[in-house]
Amino acid sequence: FKNNRLVEIIINGENYINFFKKTLKVKQDIAATEFSFGCAKNHIELDFSINSPFNKAAAGVHIGLGTDDKVPYINLIDQNAQVIY
């Protein structure tokens, strides 16, 4: 992120920023509109195929990406993520 605008998404060494822009069908920059660092200890296996606010509180990192007031919107949730800043 630079000035709250997504500049790159690195997955397995490849930058997926253009893929995300194409998927969101936007030409403008993608903003981070939600951040959370989960600390909930879950005693059950979470089903991330279900769009649930509970999943956002799972241990790890949650970043919501969108174009501010427009949809579509993507939630990235990773229980093993690292935030590098």
Side-chain angles (χ1 to χ4, degrees), residues 36-53:
S36 63
F37 301 95
C39 57
K41 296 204 181 212
N42 301 303
H43 299 287
I44 59 170
E45 180 95 17
L46 295 176
D47 183 354
F48 287 103
S49 69
I50 299 170
N51 186 10
S52 167

Side-chain angles (χ1 to χ4, degrees), residues 2 6 32 37 44 49 54 65 81:
K2 184 173 184 176
L6 191 61
F37 301 95
I44 59 170
S49 69
F54 182 76
L65 300 174

Side-chain angles (χ1 to χ4, degrees), residues 66-82:
T67 54
D68 299 325
D69 61 341
K70 295 179 177 60
V71 292
Y73 190 84
I74 296 174
N75 283 309
L76 300 173
I77 302 170
D78 188 336
Q79 292 183 301
N80 299 307
Q82 293 180 346

Side-chain angles (χ1 to χ4, degrees), residues 2 4-7 21 26-31 66-68:
K2 184 173 184 176
N4 196 40
R5 299 297 179 215
L6 191 61
V7 293
K21 284 185 175 183
V26 296
K27 294 180 182 172
Q28 71 268 28
D29 292 334
I30 300 170
T67 54
D68 299 325

